[in-house]
Amino acid sequence: MVKGYAIGRAAVMSAAALEVVHYRVASHEVESECERLRRALAQARDELQAMAGTLPEDAPRELGPLLTVHSMLLDDPMLFQQTCALITERHYNAEWALTSQGQTLAEQFALMEDDYLRERGADIRQVIERVLRVLSGSSSLLAELEAADSPEPLIVVARDISPADMLRLRGGRFAAFLTDLGGPTSHTAIVARSMNVPAVVGLGHLRALVRDGDTLIADGFTGVVLVNPSAQVLQEYRQRQADYARERAQLALLRDAPAVTLDGIAIKLEANIELPEEAQAAMLAGADGIGLFRSEFLFMGRRDLPTEQEQYQAYASVVKTMAGRPVTIRTLDLGADKNLDGDVTVASNPALGLRAIRYCLANPEIFATQLRALLRASLHGHVRILIPMISHMHEVHATRQAIDAACTELEARGVPYARNISLGAMVEIPAIAIAIEPFVESLDFLSIGTNDLIQYTLAIDRGDSDVADLYDPMHPAVLRLISHTINAGERAGKPVAVCGEMAGDARVTRMLLGLGLTEFSMHPAQLLDVKKEVRQAHSNALRVKVASALNRAERIDLASLSA
């Protein structure tokens, strides 16, 4: 969900163009059918490339990279080859073959452990839908929306919305985006957030229940969508809209205000980013630095590995944008159920398999290339290297050896880099949180990844809807692990941050302050909400309340912390 309230008329994006016919082609028609598919792929790719090359200045920064990803997927020879194989072997028509291949790819992506990568199956689906429209000769699903001249805001209701479609919709009077598919890290949510437009995604079957012109209320806070509400309900939500607008205007005044508690404790509020372009949004939000740059996003949506130079340019651009503020870059966090070349191999238990630092140490050339790029970028500012999924001290030692080897290679090439680069680890496996002391002594900083820490502590797959209600950030065991890590950092004089979803949830800001946390890292859009809570809190008083609850192994009453 993307926060906010929206009231408007429904504009339902039809999917009729995607209802393709299925038939078999004769043997002598196979070659021409494959050629028809090839032309459609090329046309769809050319359309995206042309769109990416003529982005207007006011387009969201995320759209350029997303359009490029879709273009590269269409240019991938494997998409054509595997689909053409279905035409050749089974005599499917091009539409049938492409739909079948899309279903196979979607099933493979659905098995992926990582939330973001699992939702990248939407990229495959969206590019296939674009090609199907070309094959069918139909006009764009957005033609009626682009031409719409509604006297009141429209709320787009769709099965899904591709990045290209989001671009074409950006100039209209669209109050919100509602989709049957997607999740918090889907493109619709990402781009809607950058456009500051409410969005509710993953609604299931809303499109089948709404008609064009219906009056809709979209609540981006609760995920509730109301269809044709009463006049009384409309008035209530219009008041909520007005109140929220005033609240955001007041929050904007905090941008340059210091994040200091009532008792004078300075708090660092940093930003999580996934693409280099997002560093500018972090600066505009008043971030104290980048607390988490998820570097794996540079590796996704491409057939080849990014070169050292490509990675260096991406990292250096963020470091330069942050103008001396610290930039914490997490090394590649892929593996087990997701491979860089797009092939998918499913481990018996991907969450516990060869991923993150385990993957990097098992693939030293990939790791060495990234480390050299990071070291080179460190010359432009304060770079900190963050290692994910550490569980053993020997992984720390192996990482330092890999960094030393990268330094030696750069020196042999005469390439400059900063000599005193900081090395930290993600605390996301309970083992490191429980036996934290040697890690604190050996590393320069720690960053708690609460998403995985909760998952591993409670044995809950956070992507499994059957047990989603058991995923509990406030479980006393989870809070004790966080507290133990923060306290160990305090004793050793080493900084400890939280970069998981909890850090950006203003409802738990006071609780984290009560645990002793002084460094938060979150999506830039969440920063001002958290800063507001920080400036209204008394840190030392909160520490007494939270410590008392933890000692009694009680659940912490968040409301009592605001009293």
Side-chain angles (χ1 to χ4, degrees):
M1 295 181 292
V2 180
K3 289 182 178 180
Y5 300 104
I7 301 172
R9 295 287 181 183
V12 181
M13 290 174 60
S14 169
L18 301 182
E19 297 173 358
V20 298
V21 294
H22 291 183
Y23 60 88
R24 296 185 183 274
V25 298
S27 298
H28 67 275
E29 297 174 322
V30 164
E31 185 175 347
S32 61
E33 194 71 3
C34 284
E35 181 57 30
R36 188 166 76 92
L37 171 66
R38 186 195 300 275
R39 290 196 301 268
L41 288 166
Q43 180 179 332
R45 180 200 61 219
D46 292 344
E47 289 175 357
L48 288 175
Q49 289 179 340
M51 198 176 297
T54 57
L55 283 174
E57 292 184 1
D58 63 340
R61 291 179 174 272
E62 289 86 349
L63 280 178
L66 297 182
L67 292 174
T68 300
V69 167
H70 280 206
S71 178
M72 293 175 67
L73 288 172
L74 286 167
D75 200 32
D76 188 337
M78 291 301 292
L79 180 60
F80 170 76
Q81 292 167 9
Q82 293 172 355
T83 307
C84 188
L86 291 174
I87 297 173
T88 304
E89 297 167 6
R90 304 184 188 180
H91 288 212
Y92 288 176
N93 67 309
E95 291 89 343
W96 188 359
L98 188 59
T99 304
S100 298
Q101 179 60 19
Q103 181 62 36
T104 298
L105 294 172
E107 291 171 356
Q108 292 174 341
F109 273 88
L111 293 172
M112 293 185 174
E113 176 67 23
D114 184 271
D115 290 342
Y116 185 92
L117 291 179
R118 186 166 55 245
E119 290 179 6
R120 294 292 65 77
D123 293 307
I124 295 292
R125 184 181 62 254
Q126 289 165 358
V127 298
I128 285 177
E129 289 178 354
R130 178 170 291 275
V131 178
L132 288 173
R133 291 201 290 268
V134 174
L135 284 169
S136 66
S138 66
S139 60
S140 169
L141 296 180
L142 301 179
E144 68 274 20
L145 295 183
E146 290 183 290
D149 185 19
S150 173
E152 59 184 309
L154 296 176
I155 294 179
V156 178
V157 181
R159 177 171 176 265
D160 197 10
I161 308 176
S162 72
D165 292 342
M166 289 290 285
L167 173 63
R168 297 177 66 173
L169 292 172
R170 84 192 189 286
R173 292 174 52 103
F174 300 111
F177 300 103
L178 312 177
T179 62
D180 291 342
L181 305 178
T185 54
S186 66
H187 290 327
T188 302
I190 292 171
V191 178
R193 189 178 294 116
S194 73
M195 296 168 68
N196 200 27
V197 175
V200 183
V201 299
L203 287 165
H205 304 286
L206 178 69
R207 187 167 54 88
L209 304 175
V210 175
R211 297 180 180 179
D212 267 321
D214 281 348
T215 298
L216 299 181
I217 294 175
D219 186 336
F221 293 92
T222 64
V224 169
V225 176
L226 303 176
V227 183
N228 295 324
S230 66
Q232 182 178 355
V233 173
L234 275 172
Q235 182 57 37
E236 177 186 342
Y237 271 90
R238 287 196 176 99
Q239 185 60 49
R240 291 189 188 186
Q241 270 188 318
D243 293 344
Y244 182 61
R246 284 193 294 270
E247 177 186 333
R248 300 313 298 178
Q250 292 173 347
L251 276 178
L253 300 176
L254 294 178
R255 179 193 178 280
D256 298 317
V260 179
T261 64
L262 293 175
D263 50 338
I265 306 297
I267 305 298
K268 289 185 178 180
L269 300 181
E270 298 179 324
N272 296 344
I273 65 171
E274 294 152 1
L275 298 169
E277 295 83 359
E278 294 174 355
Q280 186 60 41
M283 288 292 285
L284 292 174
D288 294 320
I290 300 298
L292 176 63
F293 180 1
R294 299 179 174 99
S295 67
E296 58 269 17
F297 288 68
L298 301 175
F299 290 72
M300 296 189 302
R302 54 187 300 159
R303 299 186 306 276
D304 55 344
L305 295 171
T307 65
E308 177 185 323
Q309 183 64 17
E310 287 179 89
Q311 292 188 61
Y312 158 72
Q313 290 174 341
Y315 305 143
S317 70
V318 173
V319 176
K320 292 174 183 177
T321 298
M322 297 311 294
R325 297 168 179 81
V327 176
T328 305
I329 303 175
R330 185 175 70 187
T331 56
L332 187 61
D333 190 2
L334 294 178
D337 61 333
K338 42 195 181 295
N339 294 330
L340 295 176
D341 60 3
D343 293 335
V344 179
T345 56
V346 181
S348 58
N349 196 333
L352 307 180
L354 190 68
R355 53 171 295 204
I357 188 58
R358 303 170 183 177
Y359 181 93
C360 288
L361 293 176
N363 293 273
E365 285 302 316
I366 295 175
F367 197 29
T369 300
Q370 181 173 40
L371 291 175
R372 291 195 300 271
L374 288 169
L375 289 166
R376 290 172 58 190
S378 69
L379 200 64
H380 302 288
H382 186 186
V383 172
R384 309 195 309 172
I385 297 177
L386 179 62
I387 308 300
M389 207 175 174
I390 287 283
S391 59
H392 294 83
M393 278 302 302
H394 68 74
E395 293 166 331
V396 176
H397 299 322
T399 298
R400 287 203 180 277
Q401 291 171 359
I403 293 174
D404 290 342
C407 291
T408 300
E409 186 168 349
L410 289 176
E411 290 168 1
R413 287 162 42 187
V415 177
Y417 64 92
R419 302 285 172 167
N420 298 316
I421 195 164
S422 299
L423 177 66
M426 294 280 291
V427 178
E428 48 196 343
I429 296 177
I432 181 176
I434 294 169
I436 193 67
E437 286 75 12
F439 295 95
V440 171
E441 293 172 3
S442 301
L443 294 159
D444 300 307
F445 67 98
L446 297 171
S447 187
I448 304 173
T450 52
N451 300 351
D452 273 335
L453 182 62
I454 297 165
Q455 172 173 255
Y456 291 132
T457 302
L458 303 181
I460 299 298
D461 180 355
R462 55 196 173 103
D464 187 341
S465 59
D466 291 334
V467 293
D469 60 318
L470 299 176
Y471 185 83
D472 183 9
M474 298 299 294
H475 192 291
V478 173
L479 299 185
R480 284 189 171 190
L481 291 176
I482 295 174
S483 176
H484 184 54
T485 302
I486 293 172
N487 291 338
E490 281 187 335
R491 290 192 299 270
K494 303 289 181 68
V496 177
V498 168
C499 62
E501 289 300 310
M502 286 179 70
D505 186 347
R507 296 171 300 178
V508 301
T509 298
R510 292 174 186 248
M511 186 273 297
L512 291 173
L513 291 171
L515 291 175
L517 186 68
T518 58
E519 291 193 21
F520 297 65
S521 190
M522 68 210 75
H523 189 282
Q526 300 169 314
L527 196 144
L528 293 179
D529 293 285
V530 172
K531 182 182 284 190
K532 177 183 177 182
E533 289 296 319
V534 167
R535 289 173 56 84
Q536 295 176 348
H538 192 289
S539 184
N540 288 314
L542 289 170
R543 296 197 71 162
V544 173
K545 290 183 179 181
V546 171
S548 177
L550 285 181
N551 288 336
R552 296 192 303 270
E554 296 177 352
R555 291 189 65 85
I556 295 176
D557 179 7
L558 295 179
S560 70
L561 301 182
S562 299

